[in-house]
Amino acid sequence: MSTLTQVPSYKDGLSELQENLGKMLPKEALVVFDTDANTLKETHKSILKLTAGEKAPNFSLSNAVGETSSLNSLLEKGKVVLTFYRGSWCPYCNLQLNQYQQVLEEIKSLGANLVAISPQTPDESLNIKEKNELKFEVLSDNGNIVAKQFTTVFKNGETPIETMKALGIDFDGHYADDSQELPVPAVFIIDKDGTISFAKAIDGDYRNRVEASDIINALKNN
């Protein structure tokens, strides 16, 4: 039985977020970000590096308070829902992770634990945890070593980075390396034996994310 009265809709949240951003950001900045997102959608057609039925490679990463967490140790506690995101500066990541937090108890009731991974520093992982009151593990994948095994990784463009800088957002300050690389957002469900049972990325457009309902349904049906 569901523990929730309603699973949040990312599509609805995205519509509201974009309306708000349209009021907050200069028109020139919106054009830059829209162009970037649309270009990425056309550039990255085949995103997932691992698909359902394949084994997930083990990894060990630092969490938001500097403790090491491995996939194998997480799987000892149950299934793992793994989501790759860009960073605490990204409003779409904040929306997605906030909505996943809303269904965290549902995910746990279905025998799984949620883990979010980005290339940003542990300090920034802590920042996004606190900002969104996240009660799940947020891990730092410096250099996208783990992300490259699961999803597509690309170098962020100079134009969006400079536009962010003009808006007061220090993109490079969120990361420990200077690669300026980001993962294409993707979600995986890994069974206790390490087999991937669900793997999904919408497309290269970072504004589009996997719905919380997709995760819930996949856990219920597996």
Side-chain angles (χ1 to χ4, degrees), residues 35-36 42 57 63 74 89 93 108 144 158 165:
T35 301
D36 180 47
E42 292 304 313
N63 65 12
L74 291 165
W89 51 268
C93 295
K108 287 184 174 181
N144 289 290
E158 286 301 322
K165 187 176 181 180

Side-chain angles (χ1 to χ4, degrees), residues 11-168:
K11 184 178 179 181
D12 290 347
L14 176 62
S15 178
E16 181 179 351
L17 173 59
Q18 290 183 311
E19 182 178 344
N20 291 336
L21 290 175
K23 297 174 183 176
M24 293 166 51
L25 299 180
K27 185 176 296 184
E28 297 79 8
L30 291 170
V31 170
V32 168
F33 296 139
D34 284 345
T35 301
D36 180 47
N38 292 330
T39 299
L40 290 170
K41 182 174 183 176
E42 292 304 313
T43 303
H44 301 300
K45 297 291 189 181
S46 180
I47 295 166
L48 301 178
K49 302 302 181 184
L50 292 170
T51 56
E54 296 186 284
K55 289 284 187 179
N58 185 40
F59 57 78
S60 295
L61 297 173
S62 293
N63 65 12
V65 293
E67 299 170 341
T68 299
S69 185
S70 72
L71 177 60
N72 285 346
S73 65
L74 291 165
L75 288 173
E76 291 176 1
K77 305 171 186 175
K79 298 178 183 180
V80 171
V81 178
L82 202 61
T83 181
F84 291 89
Y85 72 102
R86 291 148 50 92
S88 56
W89 51 268
C90 172
Y92 306 99
C93 295
N94 284 290
L95 172 61
Q96 178 192 27
L97 296 184
N98 182 277
Q99 290 197 344
Y100 288 3
Q101 172 61 40
Q102 293 179 51
V103 298
L104 182 60
E105 290 307 310
E106 178 90 344
I107 288 171
K108 287 184 174 181
S109 74
L110 293 167
N113 288 297
L114 180 61
V115 178
I117 296 178
S118 84
Q120 62 184 358
T121 64
D123 280 349
E124 285 303 323
S125 294
L126 184 61
N127 180 23
I128 200 167
K129 252 182 98 78
E130 291 178 342
K131 181 161 55 176
N132 294 286
E133 299 182 349
L134 305 180
K135 305 302 181 185
F136 52 86
E137 201 76 285
V138 180
L139 305 180
S140 293
D141 179 23
N142 183 33
N144 289 290
I145 304 302
V146 174
K148 289 174 181 176
Q149 300 176 72
F150 284 84
T151 185
T152 295
V153 172
F154 66 96
K155 184 173 181 179
N156 200 10
E158 286 301 322
T159 303
I161 290 175
E162 287 302 313
T163 303
M164 289 169 62
K165 187 176 181 180
L167 294 171

